Amino acid sequence: MSSSKAFAPLPPPEKPLASVSHPELSATQLELYKAVETHFSAESFKLPGTSEQESSLSEKEKFWLSHECILRYLRAVKWVNAEQAIQRLEATLKWRREFGLNSKEILFGFDYWGRPGFYMIPRLVKISSLFGCSSAVSTSWSPGVETLDLLINFADKAKNPSLGQAREILHILQTHYPERLGLALILNVPWILNAFFKLISPFIDPLTRTKMKFNPTVVGSGPDTAETFFVKEQVMKESWGGDIDFEYKHDEYWPKLVKMAEERHESWFNRWKELGGKIGIKEVDYKTPAV
């Protein structure tokens, strides 16, 4: 079967082939969650390290502080205590303000579980704002989906990540996007980077390590196909074995990605306001249309 040419991002699937779920919270975990939500919901809350004029949270920041967002940070600190999660959330809030809306992601296709494919192509992406605050990333998650897949190919040294870039990506993921990495699919790893990963492996969260797949078989027929992750209609042809012959043309790709992101974000944000417009509202509730 011949591959099809594509210049635009693919829309999120209405229903993924499989789903990922988390266990119910214990009484202790519920107590920790409530402590974090109460801290940020307090009328007296001021973001540490900011000026008086900038210390209050905006509507968009309250929208970001969803039920699932708070849980992600609590899981990231291993449920040790609420204060650690609060400190990390506050650090990310300030980081998001600093980097703003200036990242250029190559989001393309979705895996079996509905997780978006995020292609790391440094000649097109500014690493310091790789994930930034761009709504293009956040709006690619359908109801019930919280993570993404990072796809990196080191075959072309002129176009692919350096050692420093790989280290910075890892730092951003673990610090400001905890519990957001579904998989890291990595092809053609050079020996120096392989040595680097082995060196830093003890410092990488054990759960993160299990998500890193080196030289994997990417394409399969579905979630029952062991150690595969995408159907061929949802992944790029070049290097990744998919059916889609994707070519990045900024004037065609970027406006369509932004339009799709803005439409989804506006719909979700309006629904969030209808549900009360406060911290702690569940993402699955505002992403699900009202009946």
Side-chain angles (χ1 to χ4, degrees), residues 153-192:
N153 178 20
F154 286 94
D156 187 339
K157 294 180 181 178
K159 299 178 181 178
N160 288 288
S162 67
L163 190 64
Q165 289 170 331
R167 185 167 49 216
E168 189 168 357
I169 293 166
L170 184 62
H171 170 74
I172 290 172
L173 276 170
Q174 292 194 143
T175 306
H176 299 299
Y177 278 78
E179 300 288 311
R180 282 301 204 185
L181 179 64
L183 292 167
L185 306 179
I186 308 167
L187 301 182
N188 302 301
V189 183
W191 71 267
I192 189 169

Side-chain angles (χ1 to χ4, degrees), residues 183-215:
L183 292 167
L185 306 179
I186 308 167
L187 301 182
N188 302 301
V189 183
W191 71 267
I192 189 169
L193 192 58
N194 190 45
F196 167 71
F197 279 124
K198 287 182 179 178
L199 184 65
I200 67 169
S201 183
F203 306 101
I204 301 175
D205 179 82
L207 182 59
T208 301
R209 285 204 302 269
T210 66
K211 297 174 180 179
M212 300 173 73
K213 310 293 183 182
F214 296 94
N215 298 317

Side-chain angles (χ1 to χ4, degrees), residues 4-23:
S4 54
K5 196 78 172 178
F7 305 97
L10 298 177
E14 291 186 10
K15 186 177 180 180
L17 296 176
S19 61
V20 176
S21 61
H22 297 287

Side-chain angles (χ1 to χ4, degrees), residues 12 36 43 101 169-170 188 221 256 281:
V36 177
E43 290 186 15
L101 297 167
I169 293 166
L170 184 62
N188 302 301
S221 58
K256 291 176 182 176
I281 291 177

Side-chain angles (χ1 to χ4, degrees), residues 30-74:
L30 281 170
E31 191 174 316
L32 289 172
Y33 170 83
K34 195 62 182 177
V36 177
E37 183 187 281
T38 300
H39 172 82
F40 286 101
S41 299
E43 290 186 15
S44 59
F45 174 79
K46 295 183 184 300
L47 186 61
T50 60
S51 66
E52 182 65 28
Q53 293 83 358
E54 299 178 337
S55 60
S56 297
L57 296 179
S58 67
E59 269 197 320
K60 294 297 175 67
E61 288 171 329
K62 292 177 181 178
F63 175 64
W64 176 77
L65 282 165
S66 66
H67 176 83
E68 290 87 345
C69 176
I70 294 171
L71 289 180
R72 286 191 288 270
Y73 278 76
L74 282 165

Side-chain angles (χ1 to χ4, degrees), residues 91-117:
T92 296
L93 282 164
K94 288 186 283 188
W95 177 83
R96 289 168 62 88
R97 289 182 180 186
E98 179 181 354
F99 283 106
L101 297 167
N102 55 3
S103 53
K104 293 183 180 180
E105 303 86 3
I106 304 299
L107 292 170
F108 191 82
F110 298 81
D111 72 6
Y112 300 149
W113 300 271
R115 297 180 296 220

